[in-house]
Amino acid sequence: MKLRNFFALFLSLVLLMGLNGCAPGANSSSALITVKLKKTQELNTRAAAYWSESKKPQQIGEPVSVVEYAAPFSYGLQYPKTGYQSVDDMIAQAVAERRAAFDKKYLLPENLPESGKPSADTALFLRYETYLTEDGNLSLVLFEREEPADAAPVTQLYILHYDLAAGTAQKPEDLMWERFRENASAYTQKYFLETEPYKKGLFGDYKKTLASDSSTFDRFALTDDGVLFYFEPYQLFPGSYGLVRLIIPYEDMRAKAAPPQAAPDIAGFDAEKPMVALTFDDGPNPRNTGAILDTLEQYNAVATFFDLGSLVERYPAVVQREIALGCEVGSHSYNHKDFKKLSNAEISNDVKAVSRAFQSAIGQEPTLFRPPYGNTNQRVNGQIPMPLVLWSVDTLDWKSRNATSVMAAVKKAGNLDGKVILMHGIYESSAEATAQLVPYLLEEGYQLVTVSQLIEAKYGETPQPSKLYGYDYFQ
Ligand code: NI
């Protein structure tokens, strides 16, 4: 019953009481109605108390409240309406399934009260919490409490995931990333062993519950601050600890499989003198990347190439020459998809495919990652086991396709010390621009360095995996 309907019933109760007052000894059917209304009122109070246990604020949606004192059982259910139709349909379906499972369970002969008949004092309560991440992932946490008429309550917790923009449900494994379980396992064990009041209540078999291959870490919510895990009473601690929540920050959940980045070689560069990094995306291209490499070789200069894994497979000799000339080679993804639109599992697959292509072509991993379109966010950064690099001077070479315009764009940028220049290695005009730009920059007194060398020598930092070196960094 919706709350609005309840108030209508409440009004009729008041009216009935008034009638009873006028006509003492009212018939038994109105007495029954009075009992039912009183029970409904009690149920409303119990449901409201249960619902208020949910953590606020809910990050999306308005609550739908259902209170029914009815045969065979009673229900006090609250769940969200997000305004996204297909997601709301799936949520309503999930709630209907919980309710059907409850009915089925408590109609079993062994669960009926002593009277042998289902009792409306057996009640199901449902409440929820919602978490919404910046990229539109909704984690819906459903808390369920079964209150049998004459047995102890039973509580359970379910977590459902939805992609709001796509209007689809997501499986937890689609949202996990490389070393997700391993990192969660290591973090929770350390945290609960070292932190009061948990360390003195931790059950002896905690290692089994918190093992990376246990189902414990299948159940999580993604929040703005990190990955939220719930531990139910008696799962890890005595019942007096209640429900335990733990948020693990994303930086602690990030893949750490990649070895720490080695410091790039900056011998031969003078950190006091101006330096600039040229970068070329979307290659390799045998002809135009080849011409760019000719120029670099002629002037004994280096640049950074952000290559596509699919083209690295096709033109390994070009990438081998990039390495041979002392250039840096980073990943620009396997085939230029927008990473903000990829699931964590898809990102992980891309990283693996690019790694295979690089290993096969040059026997080493890409040292950097430049997201296609420069599109990334905190979630994506967390999935990438390489430093993420954007740029600070955009030549718009892909748009002008004109060497003179590229030169003009660079000159317009003013002082280039510490900057990263964006170009594309696949256009003839960009190769022509490079043939003018390299001698120009050298004449102006700039040292040409790779991006990793720039971060190390100019900014005094060894590039870190999963960290974004964005537009503002290279100013
Ligand atoms: Ni690109």
Side-chain angles (χ1 to χ4, degrees):
M1 177 184 310
K2 300 246 166 74
L3 272 177
R4 193 180 54 233
N5 299 347
F6 168 70
F7 287 122
L9 258 178
F10 185 74
L11 198 69
S12 9
L13 173 66
V14 171
L15 281 172
L16 263 172
M17 278 160 45
L19 285 173
N20 282 349
C22 295
N27 64 35
S28 63
S29 82
S30 67
L32 265 176
I33 291 171
T34 309
V35 168
K36 188 175 177 188
L37 291 174
K38 271 182 92 170
K39 289 279 193 182
T40 303
Q41 195 180 13
E42 278 170 27
L43 188 63
N44 258 297
T45 309
R46 283 162 71 198
Y50 182 66
W51 298 341
S52 72
E53 289 175 32
S54 287
K55 207 171 172 206
K56 302 286 184 313
Q58 307 289 357
Q59 288 189 294
I60 189 173
E62 293 301 318
V64 177
S65 306
V66 178
V67 176
E68 286 178 18
Y69 179 82
F73 303 121
S74 295
Y75 309 90
L77 316 176
Q78 196 169 62
Y79 56 93
K81 186 177 168 66
T82 64
Y84 293 81
Q85 189 58 52
S86 59
V87 170
D88 287 340
D89 292 346
M90 288 186 278
I91 292 172
Q93 174 72 23
V95 170
E97 279 166 17
R98 294 316 318 148
R99 184 175 164 150
F102 172 82
D103 288 355
K104 197 177 163 195
K105 176 176 171 184
Y106 286 95
L107 284 170
L108 289 175
E110 64 264 35
N111 289 332
L112 287 174
E114 273 178 32
S115 67
K117 280 188 274 182
S119 161
D121 289 334
T122 294
L124 172 68
F125 295 99
L126 212 56
R127 62 183 177 84
Y128 71 93
E129 291 172 5
T130 52
Y131 297 93
L132 183 64
T133 62
E134 59 174 14
D135 42 327
N137 178 80
L138 167 66
S139 295
L140 170 61
V141 188
L142 284 178
F143 301 82
E144 185 183 87
R145 183 177 169 91
E146 303 171 355
E147 293 192 9
D150 51 6
V154 181
T155 60
Q156 286 175 86
L157 158 59
Y158 305 87
I159 304 186
L160 304 167
H161 301 277
Y162 302 100
D163 178 337
L164 286 185
T168 53
Q170 290 170 295
K171 295 196 211 88
E173 55 266 35
D174 291 339
L175 297 166
M176 293 178 172
W177 48 81
E178 201 82 13
R179 295 189 59 79
F180 181 99
R181 293 160 171 285
E182 287 86 345
N183 291 339
S185 170
Y187 187 98
T188 49
Q189 293 197 31
K190 187 170 190 294
Y191 181 85
F192 289 135
L193 272 179
E194 291 177 355
T195 314
E196 292 290 6
Y198 304 110
K199 67 179 186 187
K200 62 171 179 279
L202 200 58
F203 287 160
D205 64 349
Y206 74 90
K207 278 194 175 163
K208 206 175 147 202
T209 311
L210 298 177
S212 60
D213 58 356
S214 79
S215 60
T216 303
F217 301 111
D218 293 350
R219 209 173 53 180
F220 58 86
L222 295 181
T223 78
D224 286 336
D225 303 320
V227 184
L228 168 59
F229 291 97
Y230 291 89
F231 301 94
E232 290 183 85
Y234 305 105
Q235 194 182 355
L236 270 180
F237 308 103
S240 60
Y241 282 69
L243 180 73
V244 173
R245 290 177 165 83
L246 179 67
I247 291 186
I248 305 184
Y250 284 114
E251 60 212 56
D252 291 300
M253 287 295 289
R254 278 175 188 161
K256 293 192 184 79
Q261 209 83 1
D265 183 7
I266 52 168
F269 295 113
D270 185 343
E272 303 305 311
K273 286 191 183 156
M275 57 181 77
V276 64
L278 284 178
T279 64
F280 297 92
D281 289 6
D282 295 358
N285 172 286
R287 185 184 147 143
N288 296 318
T289 308
I292 289 166
L293 289 169
D294 290 344
T295 299
L296 293 172
E297 187 170 20
Q298 185 186 341
Y299 291 95
N300 197 20
V302 293
T304 302
F305 294 87
F306 289 99
D307 286 340
L308 293 169
S310 53
L311 295 179
V312 169
E313 283 173 354
R314 234 157 101 188
Y315 307 115
V318 183
V319 193
Q320 287 157 10
R321 189 172 171 220
E322 290 170 356
I323 292 287
L325 293 180
C327 292
E328 181 166 27
V329 189
S331 164
H332 192 40
S333 81
Y334 188 76
N335 51 8
H336 216 275
K337 293 210 174 88
D338 181 351
F339 271 43
K340 279 168 85 172
K341 293 183 183 157
L342 298 188
S343 71
N344 293 336
E346 288 168 325
I347 292 174
S348 168
N349 287 338
D350 189 287
V351 169
K352 284 180 199 151
V354 171
S355 166
R356 275 195 298 272
F358 272 67
Q359 286 291 352
S360 159
I362 53 173
Q364 64 187 64
E365 298 286 327
T367 49
L368 303 169
F369 178 76
R370 175 171 281 167
Y373 315 101
N375 272 353
T376 189
N377 58 29
Q378 211 185 26
R379 175 186 67 96
V380 172
N381 299 346
Q383 314 312 309
I384 302 290
M386 294 163 265
L388 292 93
V389 172
L390 301 182
W391 54 87
S392 54
V393 177
D394 190 349
T395 61
L396 296 173
D397 61 334
W398 58 274
K399 206 169 166 186
S400 71
R401 304 286 178 95
N402 180 296
T404 312
S405 302
V406 170
M407 285 300 293
V410 173
K411 286 176 183 168
K412 209 179 127 200
N415 185 359
L416 298 171
D417 187 20
K419 298 210 169 164
V420 173
I421 299 175
L422 170 65
M423 296 175 73
H424 294 79
I426 53 174
Y427 305 117
E428 194 176 352
S429 54
S430 301
E432 288 166 13
T434 305
Q436 299 174 35
L437 188 54
V438 170
Y440 166 79
L441 292 172
L442 293 173
E443 269 164 39
E444 291 288 305
Y446 291 105
Q447 307 169 92
L448 291 183
V449 293
T450 67
V451 170
S452 286
Q453 287 167 337
L454 184 73
I455 294 172
E456 184 80 27
K458 192 85 222 170
Y459 299 97
E461 180 181 351
T462 299
Q464 292 304 308
S466 291
K467 177 171 172 179
L468 176 67
Y469 297 86
Y471 309 104
D472 297 339
Y473 188 89
F474 300 108
Q475 294 299 330

